[in-house]
Amino acid sequence: LSHLLQVEDNIENLCLACTKLYEALDEGNMLGKRFKRRSVLLKTLYKLVDIDSDPLCLKLAKIILAMKVDGKNLLSVCKLAFRICRNEKNDYIIQNDRLLDCLLEVLRTEDLHKNNEAVLYCMGAIKLMSENAVLLNEMVNKGAIKMLLQLMKHINSIKENDTYFSDLGHLLVQLTATLRNLADLPPARRQLICNGAVSELSVALEQRMNDKDVCTYIVRIFSKLSSYNDFYAALADCSRCYVLFLALLNKHQKQQDLVIRIIFILGNLTEQNNQAREEFFKEKGSINTLITLFQTYHELDLNAQKWCHEREGEEKNHSKHPSEAEDVLIKLIRVLANLSIHPSVGAALAAARRVVELLVTVLEYKSVDDCKELVINAATTINNLSYYKVKSSAVQDKKLHIAEMLFKLLMSNNMDGVVEAVRVFGNLSQYHEICDFIIQKKIYKFMIALLDAKNKDVCFSACGVLLNLTVDKNNRALLMEEGGIGKLVDCLGDFGPADWQLACLICKTLWNYSENITSAASCFGEDTNKLLLLLTSLLDEELVLDYSLDGDLRDNHKLCWEREFKPVAEKLLARIQSHHSFIPTVTITPF
């Protein structure tokens, strides 16, 4: 076969001869450095490398790598493998010729100090292979993730004052890019977690803070994996992750691709975990970093918006997708919204004047048509912060201005924006000035109209505003306008058994409204009998409690009925009965 390789000039025959040679060496246990005529064979193979044929070079590379070459020979064959893998047209032949096995073996066995350039080209070839779905799955099945993380651990052990440190940055770029591609596969994600990827990636991130490419790939890995609960938990447990992310944000403020992914990760970490919210907030300069980013990308967005208006004149042209600056702001505000759920953090943010000013600014210069998600996220965060009744609350200080901005949102044609505005009014309407504003602008009529929405969440928010309005006896007559009483009674019938909190809210509103009742008929009009029947039915435990629900859900359902709905409903029923001359008797049918 060796002789055939020297005299044959037909590419197909050469490829076939290479295949047979590899098989013969393998069967005869002559791969590696055990073959007596190894040097002669290698010289023959290296001469054939000059032939311009990727299929042949692939065969040659596989045999040369299997012969365990080192030094310059290893470097040249790794360069050859890299060149072959760069051509996407070669993916099919690479899949069928097991080059991956040989390259993984190089990573597993070669000395990083002696052969760092060869390992770099080898890793580059593997990275190119990872862009092919078939080869990517093959990597997972061959244990590539454990091997790559061991290589990363080795790289991480080399300190900054080492002469190899800088050169290994290029290797780390290829390695992390490969891991990012692998992170798309569920089996790979499990292996990443089991093999301590979070720890090694965090060390690499800390050591290579100045290398934007390495940082970007690692952040892309975290961004992808932070959406999954098991990896999210591992990342949340990494004590230094918040310090690292904040350092990166401060260092690469205007690198949008890096910033947006870090903010996305922080949004995922703070979405469901109160401990994560507190830990991030307690990190030195965390909120100031978010404020600085907010200001930076707000200015970029404002400038872009001005440029668009100048170029397009009066013509409106709303993009279907957020701009890069808008996208950062959307995800940054999501982090603030998540943080505000934590009681002490939320209270501190409500008092953070600059945070509130920036959120309000979004409502000032952006319409829901410009960027729906950005405006709604800003309104949601203001709603969360308006919940906290702290003395130094910036939300309270700006409540009238906020109400004016929300009124604009309320008048939009976007139902999601309308609902979010109503929610904020639900909290702000606890203040006398906001109630006056609601009456002055006739917003209460809008709230009454929303009771017809046949949407439980919409009705809950609208009813919250009406409840706060009826605390003041001077506002109670407003419920008679637009058929308000009838709509509240209808809501009670529609949603009562399914949502006892909403049912309780409706009863409290009707309780406030009827405080000075003299006659049930004059107070509730034609809805009196219907309300009586409803309350009687909803207070019948056997009739309204769903015992088909599973244990915890059933217990929670009953607890909410007993503690929230029943007390106020009984009082309201007693009040109406005591001022009603005729109580109808009917057969009550189940809801």
Side-chain angles (χ1 to χ4, degrees):
L1 284 169
S2 179
H3 175 71
L4 179 64
L5 290 173
Q6 294 178 50
V7 299
E8 180 64 62
D9 59 2
N10 180 278
I11 299 295
E12 287 187 23
N13 290 339
L14 284 170
C15 287
L16 184 59
C18 285
T19 300
K20 288 181 178 179
L21 175 61
Y22 184 89
E23 290 171 354
L25 291 169
D26 191 22
E27 288 172 10
N29 200 26
M30 291 181 285
L31 292 172
K33 298 185 178 183
R34 293 183 291 273
F35 184 39
K36 288 182 181 179
R37 300 183 62 198
R38 178 174 176 271
S39 59
V40 176
L41 175 61
L42 286 171
K43 282 181 183 177
T44 304
L45 295 172
Y46 278 120
K47 286 179 183 177
L48 294 170
V49 165
D50 293 332
I51 298 174
D52 186 17
S53 169
D54 282 354
L56 176 60
C57 286
L58 175 61
K59 302 280 184 185
L60 295 169
K62 182 181 172 184
I63 298 171
I64 294 168
L65 285 168
M67 299 302 288
K68 300 290 183 184
V69 295
D70 52 22
K72 290 183 179 178
N73 289 338
L74 178 63
L75 174 58
S76 65
V77 74
C78 286
K79 283 184 176 180
L80 177 62
F82 179 73
R83 179 176 66 75
I84 295 166
C85 292
R86 282 181 76 173
N87 189 342
E88 288 181 14
K89 293 176 182 178
N90 293 330
D91 281 2
Y92 181 73
I93 59 172
I94 292 170
Q95 288 172 30
N96 294 323
D97 231 322
R98 295 177 59 192
L99 178 63
L100 177 61
D101 292 20
C102 301
L103 294 173
L104 289 174
E105 184 64 12
V106 172
L107 289 189
R108 192 179 68 82
T109 58
E110 290 304 324
D111 187 307
L112 200 54
H113 284 85
K114 287 181 181 178
N115 297 304
N116 67 81
E117 192 177 359
V119 174
L120 172 61
Y121 278 100
C122 174
M123 190 66 245
I126 292 172
K127 183 260 177 183
L128 291 167
M129 286 184 179
S130 73
E131 293 167 8
N132 175 282
V134 174
L135 291 168
L136 193 64
N137 277 286
E138 197 177 326
M139 286 181 197
V140 178
N141 296 333
K142 291 182 183 299
I145 288 173
K146 186 174 183 180
M147 211 176 295
L148 293 174
L149 289 173
Q150 285 173 342
L151 177 60
M152 182 178 281
K153 189 172 186 177
H154 190 179
I155 296 170
N156 287 342
S157 69
I158 296 167
K159 302 306 175 190
E160 196 169 354
N161 56 3
D162 195 301
T163 53
Y164 291 101
F165 182 85
S166 179
D167 291 340
L168 292 175
H170 303 299
L171 175 58
L172 207 50
V173 170
Q174 301 301 318
L175 196 161
T176 51
T178 306
L179 286 174
R180 168 60 191 87
N181 291 338
L182 284 160
D184 283 327
L185 302 179
R189 292 195 286 269
R190 288 190 289 273
Q191 289 183 33
L192 283 165
I193 295 164
C194 295
N195 288 288
V198 171
S199 175
E200 290 306 328
L201 288 166
S202 297
V203 171
L205 196 60
E206 187 165 13
Q207 291 183 349
R208 306 281 171 170
M209 194 72 69
N210 292 321
D211 190 325
K212 180 182 174 291
D213 291 332
V214 171
C215 290
T216 298
Y217 278 118
I218 293 175
V219 166
R220 285 183 67 196
I221 295 166
F222 283 154
S223 174
K224 178 69 180 179
L225 297 176
S226 64
S227 299
Y228 299 93
N229 288 337
D230 41 6
F231 197 91
Y232 148 85
L235 187 55
D237 287 340
C238 178
S239 58
R240 286 191 57 73
C241 76
Y242 300 116
V243 176
L244 293 175
F245 290 147
L246 287 167
L248 275 173
L249 288 172
N250 287 320
K251 191 171 190 64
H252 302 286
Q253 260 182 42
K254 293 192 177 179
Q255 299 292 335
Q256 189 266 352
D257 57 335
L258 193 59
V259 168
I260 197 163
R261 287 183 172 90
I262 297 172
I263 295 295
F264 178 73
I265 296 164
L266 291 173
N268 287 341
L269 290 175
T270 55
E271 188 170 27
Q272 300 173 22
N273 191 310
N274 240 3
Q275 185 180 342
R277 293 168 189 143
E278 186 173 4
E279 285 178 2
F280 175 77
F281 179 75
K282 285 183 176 179
E283 287 296 341
K284 186 178 179 181
S286 59
I287 301 305
N288 284 339
T289 297
L290 294 183
I291 290 172
T292 302
L293 283 172
F294 203 144
Q295 289 173 168
T296 299
Y297 283 89
H298 162 61
E299 287 168 12
L300 287 171
D301 186 42
L302 204 57
N303 291 335
Q305 188 167 289
K306 285 178 181 175
W307 181 82
C308 284
H309 286 167
E310 286 170 6
R311 196 182 73 162
E312 295 161 10
E314 295 302 313
E315 185 182 336
K316 293 281 183 180
N317 184 20
H318 303 298
S319 173
K320 290 181 180 178
H321 303 287
S323 67
E324 289 185 351
E326 285 172 336
D327 210 8
V328 171
L329 292 171
I330 286 166
K331 290 173 174 58
L332 194 152
I333 293 172
R334 175 189 171 220
V335 176
L336 292 171
N338 292 344
L339 291 172
S340 66
I341 296 170
H342 187 288
S344 59
V345 176
L349 287 176
R353 191 164 303 280
R354 190 61 188 136
V355 170
V356 175
E357 284 173 353
L358 286 165
L359 290 168
V360 174
T361 300
V362 171
L363 299 183
E364 288 173 344
Y365 85 101
K366 279 285 180 191
S367 74
V368 75
D369 291 326
D370 291 334
C371 187
K372 170 186 166 182
E373 196 175 357
L374 177 56
V375 171
I376 289 176
N377 279 13
T380 299
T381 310
I382 290 171
N383 180 47
N384 289 355
L385 297 178
S386 69
Y387 172 80
Y388 299 100
K389 305 298 181 288
V390 289
K391 285 184 179 178
S392 53
S393 171
V395 177
Q396 291 180 30
D397 291 347
K398 290 182 169 292
K399 56 184 177 288
L400 268 174
H401 183 53
I402 291 171
E404 288 168 1
M405 294 303 102
L406 292 172
F407 180 61
K408 183 177 71 171
L409 186 55
L410 204 60
M411 294 299 109
S412 73
N413 292 322
N414 186 283
M415 194 59 189
D416 291 333
V418 168
V419 170
E420 211 51 57
V422 173
R423 284 185 180 137
V424 189
F425 272 120
N427 282 337
L428 293 183
S429 57
Q430 296 176 57
Y431 299 102
H432 179 71
E433 303 97 306
I434 301 301
C435 285
D436 288 346
F437 179 84
I438 289 170
I439 293 166
Q440 178 195 346
K441 299 289 186 181
K442 301 194 182 303
I443 295 170
Y444 68 91
K445 292 190 175 186
F446 197 76
M447 300 299 164
I448 292 171
L450 284 175
L451 296 175
D452 278 333
K454 301 301 177 186
N455 179 300
K456 188 170 62 174
D457 293 333
V458 173
C459 289
F460 189 93
S461 299
C463 193
V465 176
L466 295 174
L467 172 61
N468 290 333
L469 285 177
T470 57
V471 169
D472 185 340
K473 61 183 179 181
N474 295 321
N475 297 333
R476 291 168 186 169
L478 298 174
L479 279 187
M480 290 297 287
E481 294 184 29
E482 315 296 328
I485 298 299
K487 289 176 182 178
L488 284 169
V489 174
D490 287 341
C491 274
L492 186 61
D494 291 339
F495 302 116
D499 189 335
W500 293 120
Q501 288 183 321
L502 174 55
C504 175
L505 209 58
I506 293 168
C507 288
K508 284 181 177 179
T509 305
L510 294 173
W511 174 261
N512 285 352
Y513 165 74
S514 62
E515 184 181 10
N516 297 320
I517 187 172
T518 54
S519 158
S522 61
C523 187
F524 296 102
E526 61 186 20
D527 299 296
T528 305
N529 289 341
K530 184 178 179 181
L531 179 58
L532 281 168
L533 292 175
L534 264 174
L535 290 171
T536 305
S537 303
L538 294 173
L539 286 166
D540 188 325
E541 182 176 343
E542 295 296 323
L543 200 60
V544 295
L545 293 184
D546 188 351
Y547 289 96
S548 66
L549 299 171
D550 64 59
D552 291 343
L553 197 58
R554 184 181 64 243
D555 291 344
N556 185 57
H557 194 62
K558 183 176 181 181
L559 195 65
C560 196
W561 178 80
E562 286 178 341
R563 291 188 177 179
E564 296 195 40
F565 173 75
K566 187 179 177 184
V568 67
E570 284 181 335
K571 284 165 58 179
L572 179 61
L573 179 61
R575 174 182 281 176
I576 296 170
Q577 287 175 335
S578 67
H579 292 86
H580 194 43
S581 55
F582 169 68
I583 301 173
T585 56
V586 296
T587 302
I588 299 167
T589 55
F591 284 89

